[in-house]
Amino acid sequence: MNKFASGFMTICFAVAAVISSSALAQQRPASAGPVDPALMEDLIAANRILAAQGVVDAMGHVSVRHNRDPNRYLLSLARAPELVTEADIMEYDLDSVPVRDPGRRQYSERYIHGEIYKLRPDVIAVVHAHTPSVVPFTVSSVPLRAIAHSGGFLAEGLPNFEIREAGGMTDMLVSNASFGRALAEKLGDKSAILMRGHGFAAVGKSLPFVVGRSIYIGVAAKLQTEAIALGGTVTYLDPEEGRKIEARRDYIRPWELWKRQAMGK
Amino acid sequence: MNKFASGFMTICFAVAAVISSSALAQQRPASAGPVDPALMEDLIAANRILAAQGVVDAMGHVSVRHNRDPNRYLLSLARAPELVTEADIMEYDLDSVPVRDPGRRQYSERYIHGEIYKLRPDVIAVVHAHTPSVVPFTVSSVPLRAIAHSGGFLAEGLPNFEIREAGGMTDMLVSNASFGRALAEKLGDKSAILMRGHGFAAVGKSLPFVVGRSIYIGVAAKLQTEAIALGGTVTYLDPEEGRKIEARRDYIRPWELWKRQAMGK
Amino acid sequence: MNKFASGFMTICFAVAAVISSSALAQQRPASAGPVDPALMEDLIAANRILAAQGVVDAMGHVSVRHNRDPNRYLLSLARAPELVTEADIMEYDLDSVPVRDPGRRQYSERYIHGEIYKLRPDVIAVVHAHTPSVVPFTVSSVPLRAIAHSGGFLAEGLPNFEIREAGGMTDMLVSNASFGRALAEKLGDKSAILMRGHGFAAVGKSLPFVVGRSIYIGVAAKLQTEAIALGGTVTYLDPEEGRKIEARRDYIRPWELWKRQAMGK
Amino acid sequence: MNKFASGFMTICFAVAAVISSSALAQQRPASAGPVDPALMEDLIAANRILAAQGVVDAMGHVSVRHNRDPNRYLLSLARAPELVTEADIMEYDLDSVPVRDPGRRQYSERYIHGEIYKLRPDVIAVVHAHTPSVVPFTVSSVPLRAIAHSGGFLAEGLPNFEIREAGGMTDMLVSNASFGRALAEKLGDKSAILMRGHGFAAVGKSLPFVVGRSIYIGVAAKLQTEAIALGGTVTYLDPEEGRKIEARRDYIRPWELWKRQAMGK
């Protein structure tokens, strides 16, 4: 190679490097900056509460929107919720691309979170779980309904996501944006969605709300199962009762208890 | 304003202040005075026992009549029973108006307690709870009945409070005196009352009695559910057996255990 | 009163005292002497194991024959098994009369123990309990049967004691020798007996055996309840399988675990 | 005896001793040598995890192939899994003969492990357990099937070992090589096998796999039982979904949690 050729190649490499670096910069989203410490503490608490309350076992996850940017959300790397600490929390854009450390093990189903945040600006926090009492209702022709006050948010019924409609025979995981979007669309404006043969996703306007709903979906499932087992007729909550209950719902009292229990006081 | 006018206004303000203060004094009931420390200790214990035994989760509450005045009762401010300490205990008159600190967060359903105390002079303590095993019986056409000795107090059956009869479509909460009175009337002379889609209220002649009944309503519900699930015929406790059992019932032995467990020995 | 009369009365009082003291001596059985410390330790462990394993709650009791005299047995005073310590253990004759401290609160149903020991010289230890999974089988037309290896001792079925046959409408308690004898007769040569609307009594040739059986009666009840709930046909353990299982049964391995768990290692 | 006779006898004794010692040497298999400490730690963890997760109670066991020799496996002496320490681990050949300490109390059903290792070179770890939720499916005409993702490995169904086919009326224990082989043959290439009136055996390519499967067999049984109890039709996992799930299955996340929980962090 002569000097000219060599010089040309040097320029070519430099240009390629700029292009490549620019492409990378486009792929890697920018961080929204430091997270509010109180929100971070609640996110860690939410992880532990879900484990302590039996909503999740080693699997399942909870996220929250970044307090500085609605286009970013916070979610642990792939770890059992009971073990999650602040160092595990990653920041994602709504395409579920991490702003840093893309090499860390990540939840393959993080698209549940990102795609719901895209379609539901009112949603601040999302849970995905496989609570044992809920799963049977995802595969039964008997729909999950509320018999009690604590289940007011599901008095109108919940949609049930059938991944076969989105992808035929799969490994059941919502592990790409396409399945995530299909799930988010099926969720509509509801508080939660069942997932056939899998579990559920719940949403809320705060971490206490989404954690509260995740716990009481499981309670509702247990209550209905027992009510059916008695063999008589069952009086379900009227949807209007459900609406009136939810109109004054907060989770202040349970959140105080759950957080103290989960964080060791 | 001249001196006369000014003097007149001063008098007016003074009179207004007296009227206002007098009105406040009428609205704010007088305290019955210091609570017997042993009773206070049992009330705290009752809160923690109900949580430890799974009768209540974050919601539900327990009260006791003031030892100095049957027209006053003691109940925590709005807090999960597991967390209640002496500083949380408020004193109410039977209209469920607090004798002090009206600005603290209060249980919206305290009227369950006050209205029962009004109609039932024999009742010294009241529990309201949403025990999961009991709730299905509040919405089922199958009535809760006793199959075992421990449920003697419900061998004659329990009334079931349908809030739709008192208020149509509501948020299900007994959050005013009117609903409270309807519930107390339906309770009649029984030991407990179911509440449709909600839970139950239990009463007793002491904290150990009301706590014991609250625990064993839940046990009775579990036992009956399992007995029905076996698919055969079921022999229920005869009401006469129930009466004979309750005639010699005390909760001395369980109270010793529960209190030591709940108070950390 | 003259001197003669006075002297006569003194003699009368003295004679009365002797008679009375003699009568008392006859009523109060003699102690068999100090208990083997290893047996005492196992009796305390048995109390705590039954509580830890959910066989008993605040109620229920376990006894063992005195190692020095088959006509004496050892049983706690009236206290929740979880709380029992060596100081609570009382010594009874087979009429269930304590050798000392008759004024202490005693289990009103101790006659279950005494009367079984009378009729069953092979029995060294007795448990009475109200395990929730077992009680439904005491009132159901569906008999408790073994589906699994761990229930080998009940593969031939258990008798069910109906106290109405012995005493009509009662408070359900085996609180006298007559009811105790009726129960012991119904027990026959079996390992355990159900008690309608109440619970069960189990027997064994040692504390590990009676504790093991008490735990696995509850397990058998749960297993059968679940098997029935599946709705298909059920293959029960053949009585011959039960006999072969029990021929080589011991509770060495579980006893080591239960005792370490219950006694805090 | 003369000198000749005496000398002859001495030789005879010596020869007998050599024969005997040689026979013993043949009966006692050689050790494969020290175990990889990380494998040993995982084996102890597996024992405790199975207890902590309710897969085993005092009974049941877990083994792993020796890392130095596929013809040796490691299994505790007869002890409740919760209590097992490194000192309890014994080394066996595939005939389930220990390489040393044959006098220690051993699991009578160790043949389950040895015979499976013989027929399934792909299997690295084996569990035998009597999980309560699973046992009803071993005696019911209703087969255990997967409704959820976590049970992907049993989507094609599990064989059920009927020991009556191998041995008629027995004590139900797989306590010899013949029963062990019959079980291993029935297992075929599956991930687990039910055992009628007894429990199950599960296999895996590692300790995390076999522990994970043992836990999720129990979960699958609970989920199916509840789904059936709802009374409607049930959508089961498609075998193809099961295969796709298992193709990307690992137990990294749960193993991290279970091990930290079981080993006290």
Side-chain angles (χ1 to χ4, degrees):
Chain A
M1 211 185 289
N2 63 18
K3 270 187 179 175
F4 180 82
S6 166
F8 178 70
M9 283 310 290
T10 302
I11 289 165
C12 285
F13 281 129
V15 169
V18 167
I19 289 165
S20 160
S21 148
S22 162
L24 271 173
Q26 279 168 0
Q27 283 172 348
R28 190 64 45 220
S31 169
V35 180
D36 174 4
L39 187 69
M40 181 61 83
E41 181 184 293
D42 273 3
L43 180 56
I44 304 305
N47 272 278
R48 297 188 190 174
I49 290 167
L50 293 173
Q53 296 285 326
V55 175
V56 299
D57 57 1
M59 313 304 268
H61 19 91
V62 52
S63 71
V64 69
R65 272 193 214 262
H66 198 300
N67 56 289
R68 290 170 176 260
D69 183 351
N71 293 311
R72 295 289 179 277
Y73 70 92
L74 305 162
L75 177 70
S76 171
L77 52 72
R79 173 154 287 161
E82 181 174 323
L83 304 181
V84 166
T85 65
E86 189 172 337
D88 300 322
I89 301 300
M90 297 179 70
E91 182 184 344
Y92 289 96
D93 72 3
L94 300 194
D95 289 327
S96 299
V97 177
V99 305
R100 68 180 72 82
D101 298 327
R104 299 171 90 181
R105 260 184 91 85
Q106 297 167 58
Y107 295 131
S108 66
E109 297 194 290
R110 60 191 180 276
Y111 303 95
I112 295 171
H113 303 262
E115 299 303 317
I116 289 175
Y117 287 128
K118 273 187 199 165
L119 293 194
R120 287 281 299 273
D122 61 308
V123 167
I124 301 299
V126 175
V127 163
H128 169 54
H130 319 109
T131 316
S133 64
V134 177
V135 173
F137 284 95
T138 73
V139 299
S140 173
S141 58
V142 175
L144 179 63
R145 295 176 65 186
I147 64 168
H149 178 272
S150 59
F153 61 94
L154 55 87
E156 295 184 72
L158 298 180
N160 192 357
F161 176 67
E162 171 53 273
I163 198 168
R164 287 179 195 165
E165 291 172 10
M169 289 296 146
T170 66
D171 65 5
M172 306 290 288
L173 298 180
V174 181
S175 52
N176 60 49
S178 163
F179 291 166
R181 168 164 287 265
L183 175 88
E185 285 171 351
K186 184 103 183 194
L187 169 65
D189 63 355
K190 294 293 192 297
S191 301
I193 181 168
L194 302 180
M195 299 163 71
R196 194 268 309 161
H198 190 153
F200 69 87
V203 301
K205 65 181 179 184
S206 68
L207 283 164
F209 260 81
V210 79
V211 167
R213 286 172 175 171
S214 297
I215 290 170
Y216 284 111
I217 289 173
V219 172
K222 277 185 208 150
L223 295 179
Q224 186 178 350
T225 302
E226 293 300 304
I228 288 171
L230 295 180
T233 56
V234 175
T235 301
Y236 289 92
L237 214 62
D238 190 276
E240 188 180 343
E241 289 173 327
R243 280 189 296 273
K244 289 192 171 175
I245 290 165
E246 296 308 312
R248 60 183 281 180
R249 171 83 70 197
D250 67 62
Y251 288 100
I252 296 175
R253 217 188 307 163
W255 184 256
E256 181 192 20
L257 176 67
W258 297 330
K259 193 169 170 184
R260 282 178 57 173
Q261 289 175 330
M263 305 304 276
K265 262 70 194 184
Chain B
M1 212 186 288
N2 61 18
K3 270 187 182 177
F4 178 80
S6 167
F8 177 71
M9 283 311 289
T10 303
I11 290 165
C12 285
F13 282 129
V15 169
V18 167
I19 289 166
S20 161
S21 149
S22 162
L24 271 174
Q26 278 168 358
Q27 283 172 346
R28 190 63 44 218
S31 168
V35 180
D36 174 5
L39 187 69
M40 180 60 82
E41 181 184 294
D42 273 4
L43 180 56
I44 304 305
N47 272 278
R48 298 189 189 174
I49 290 167
L50 292 172
Q53 296 284 326
V55 175
V56 299
D57 56 2
M59 312 305 266
H61 20 91
V62 53
S63 72
V64 69
R65 272 193 213 264
H66 198 298
N67 56 290
R68 290 169 176 261
D69 184 350
N71 292 312
R72 295 289 179 277
Y73 71 92
L74 306 162
L75 178 70
S76 172
L77 51 72
R79 174 153 286 161
E82 180 175 323
L83 304 181
V84 167
T85 65
E86 189 172 336
D88 300 322
I89 301 300
M90 297 181 70
E91 183 184 342
Y92 288 97
D93 72 3
L94 300 195
D95 289 327
S96 299
V97 177
V99 305
R100 68 180 71 83
D101 297 327
R104 299 171 92 181
R105 257 184 94 84
Q106 297 168 57
Y107 295 132
S108 66
E109 297 194 290
R110 59 191 180 277
Y111 303 95
I112 294 171
H113 303 262
E115 300 303 316
I116 289 176
Y117 287 128
K118 273 186 197 165
L119 293 194
R120 286 282 297 274
D122 61 308
V123 167
I124 300 300
V126 176
V127 163
H128 169 55
H130 318 110
T131 317
S133 63
V134 178
V135 173
F137 284 95
T138 73
V139 300
S140 172
S141 59
V142 175
L144 179 62
R145 295 177 65 186
I147 64 168
H149 179 271
S150 59
F153 62 94
L154 55 87
E156 296 184 71
L158 297 180
N160 192 357
F161 177 67
E162 171 51 275
I163 198 168
R164 288 180 195 165
E165 291 172 10
M169 289 296 147
T170 66
D171 64 5
M172 305 289 290
L173 298 181
V174 181
S175 53
N176 60 49
S178 163
F179 291 166
R181 168 162 288 264
L183 175 88
E185 285 171 350
K186 184 102 183 194
L187 169 65
D189 63 354
K190 293 294 190 297
S191 302
I193 181 169
L194 302 180
M195 300 164 71
R196 194 269 310 162
H198 190 155
F200 70 88
V203 301
K205 65 182 180 184
S206 69
L207 282 165
F209 261 80
V210 80
V211 167
R213 285 171 176 172
S214 298
I215 290 170
Y216 284 110
I217 289 173
V219 171
K222 277 185 209 150
L223 294 179
Q224 186 178 351
T225 302
E226 293 300 305
I228 288 171
L230 295 180
T233 58
V234 175
T235 301
Y236 289 93
L237 215 63
D238 190 277
E240 189 180 343
E241 290 173 327
R243 282 189 295 275
K244 289 191 171 176
I245 289 166
E246 296 308 311
R248 61 181 280 180
R249 171 82 69 197
D250 67 61
Y251 288 99
I252 296 175
R253 216 187 307 163
W255 185 255
E256 181 192 20
L257 175 66
W258 296 331
K259 193 169 170 184
R260 283 178 56 173
Q261 288 175 330
M263 306 302 277
K265 262 69 194 186
Chain C
M1 214 186 290
N2 61 16
K3 270 188 183 174
F4 180 80
S6 166
F8 177 71
M9 283 310 290
T10 301
I11 289 165
C12 286
F13 281 129
V15 168
V18 167
I19 289 166
S20 161
S21 149
S22 162
L24 271 175
Q26 279 168 358
Q27 282 172 347
R28 190 63 44 219
S31 168
V35 180
D36 174 3
L39 187 69
M40 180 62 82
E41 182 185 294
D42 273 3
L43 180 57
I44 304 306
N47 272 277
R48 297 188 190 175
I49 289 167
L50 292 172
Q53 296 285 326
V55 175
V56 300
D57 58 0
M59 313 305 268
H61 19 92
V62 52
S63 72
V64 69
R65 273 195 212 263
H66 198 299
N67 56 289
R68 290 168 175 261
D69 183 352
N71 292 313
R72 295 289 179 276
Y73 72 91
L74 306 162
L75 178 70
S76 172
L77 51 72
R79 174 153 287 162
E82 181 174 322
L83 304 180
V84 167
T85 65
E86 189 172 336
D88 300 322
I89 301 300
M90 299 181 69
E91 182 185 343
Y92 288 96
D93 72 3
L94 299 194
D95 289 328
S96 299
V97 177
V99 304
R100 69 180 71 82
D101 298 327
R104 299 172 91 180
R105 258 184 93 85
Q106 297 166 57
Y107 295 132
S108 65
E109 297 194 291
R110 60 191 180 276
Y111 302 96
I112 294 170
H113 303 262
E115 299 303 316
I116 288 175
Y117 287 128
K118 274 187 198 166
L119 294 194
R120 287 280 298 273
D122 62 308
V123 167
I124 300 300
V126 176
V127 163
H128 169 54
H130 318 111
T131 316
S133 63
V134 177
V135 174
F137 284 95
T138 73
V139 301
S140 171
S141 59
V142 175
L144 179 62
R145 294 176 68 187
I147 64 168
H149 179 271
S150 59
F153 62 94
L154 55 85
E156 295 184 71
L158 298 180
N160 192 356
F161 178 67
E162 172 50 273
I163 197 168
R164 288 180 195 165
E165 290 173 10
M169 289 296 146
T170 66
D171 65 6
M172 305 290 289
L173 298 181
V174 181
S175 53
N176 59 50
S178 163
F179 291 166
R181 168 164 288 264
L183 175 87
E185 285 171 350
K186 185 101 183 196
L187 169 65
D189 64 354
K190 293 293 192 298
S191 300
I193 182 168
L194 302 180
M195 300 164 70
R196 194 271 307 163
H198 190 155
F200 70 86
V203 301
K205 65 182 179 184
S206 70
L207 283 164
F209 261 81
V210 80
V211 168
R213 285 171 176 171
S214 298
I215 290 170
Y216 284 111
I217 289 172
V219 171
K222 276 184 210 151
L223 294 179
Q224 187 179 351
T225 302
E226 293 300 304
I228 288 171
L230 294 180
T233 57
V234 176
T235 301
Y236 290 93
L237 214 62
D238 189 277
E240 188 179 343
E241 289 173 328
R243 281 190 295 274
K244 288 190 172 177
I245 290 165
E246 295 308 311
R248 60 182 281 178
R249 171 84 69 198
D250 66 63
Y251 288 98
I252 295 175
R253 217 187 307 164
W255 185 254
E256 180 191 21
L257 176 66
W258 296 331
K259 193 168 169 184
R260 282 178 56 173
Q261 287 175 331
M263 306 302 277
K265 262 65 195 188
Chain D
M1 213 186 293
N2 61 17
K3 272 189 181 176
F4 179 80
S6 167
F8 177 72
M9 284 310 290
T10 300
I11 288 165
C12 285
F13 282 129
V15 168
V18 167
I19 289 166
S20 161
S21 150
S22 163
L24 272 174
Q26 279 169 357
Q27 283 172 347
R28 191 64 42 219
S31 169
V35 180
D36 174 3
L39 187 69
M40 180 62 81
E41 182 184 293
D42 273 3
L43 180 56
I44 304 305
N47 272 277
R48 297 189 190 174
I49 290 167
L50 292 173
Q53 296 285 326
V55 175
V56 299
D57 58 1
M59 313 305 268
H61 18 91
V62 52
S63 71
V64 69
R65 274 194 213 261
H66 198 300
N67 56 291
R68 290 168 176 262
D69 183 352
N71 292 312
R72 296 290 179 277
Y73 71 91
L74 305 162
L75 178 69
S76 172
L77 52 71
R79 173 153 287 161
E82 181 174 324
L83 304 180
V84 167
T85 65
E86 189 172 337
D88 300 322
I89 302 300
M90 298 180 70
E91 182 185 343
Y92 288 97
D93 72 4
L94 299 195
D95 289 328
S96 298
V97 177
V99 305
R100 67 180 71 82
D101 298 325
R104 299 172 91 181
R105 258 184 94 85
Q106 296 166 59
Y107 295 132
S108 66
E109 297 194 290
R110 59 191 180 277
Y111 302 95
I112 294 170
H113 304 261
E115 299 302 316
I116 289 175
Y117 288 128
K118 273 186 199 167
L119 293 194
R120 287 281 297 274
D122 61 308
V123 167
I124 300 300
V126 176
V127 163
H128 169 54
H130 318 111
T131 316
S133 64
V134 177
V135 173
F137 284 95
T138 73
V139 300
S140 172
S141 59
V142 176
L144 179 63
R145 294 175 66 186
I147 64 168
H149 178 271
S150 59
F153 62 94
L154 55 85
E156 295 184 70
L158 298 180
N160 192 357
F161 177 66
E162 171 52 274
I163 198 169
R164 287 180 195 164
E165 290 172 10
M169 289 297 147
T170 66
D171 64 6
M172 305 290 289
L173 299 180
V174 181
S175 54
N176 60 49
S178 162
F179 291 166
R181 168 165 287 263
L183 176 87
E185 285 171 351
K186 184 102 184 194
L187 170 64
D189 63 354
K190 293 293 192 297
S191 300
I193 182 168
L194 302 180
M195 300 163 70
R196 194 270 307 163
H198 190 153
F200 70 87
V203 301
K205 66 182 180 184
S206 69
L207 283 164
F209 261 81
V210 79
V211 167
R213 285 171 176 171
S214 298
I215 289 170
Y216 284 110
I217 289 173
V219 171
K222 277 184 209 152
L223 294 179
Q224 187 179 351
T225 301
E226 292 301 303
I228 289 171
L230 295 180
T233 56
V234 176
T235 301
Y236 290 93
L237 214 62
D238 190 275
E240 188 180 342
E241 289 172 328
R243 280 189 297 274
K244 288 191 171 176
I245 290 165
E246 295 308 311
R248 60 182 282 178
R249 170 84 69 198
D250 67 63
Y251 289 99
I252 295 175
R253 216 188 308 163
W255 185 255
E256 181 191 21
L257 176 66
W258 296 331
K259 193 169 170 184
R260 282 178 57 172
Q261 288 175 330
M263 306 302 278
K265 262 62 194 190

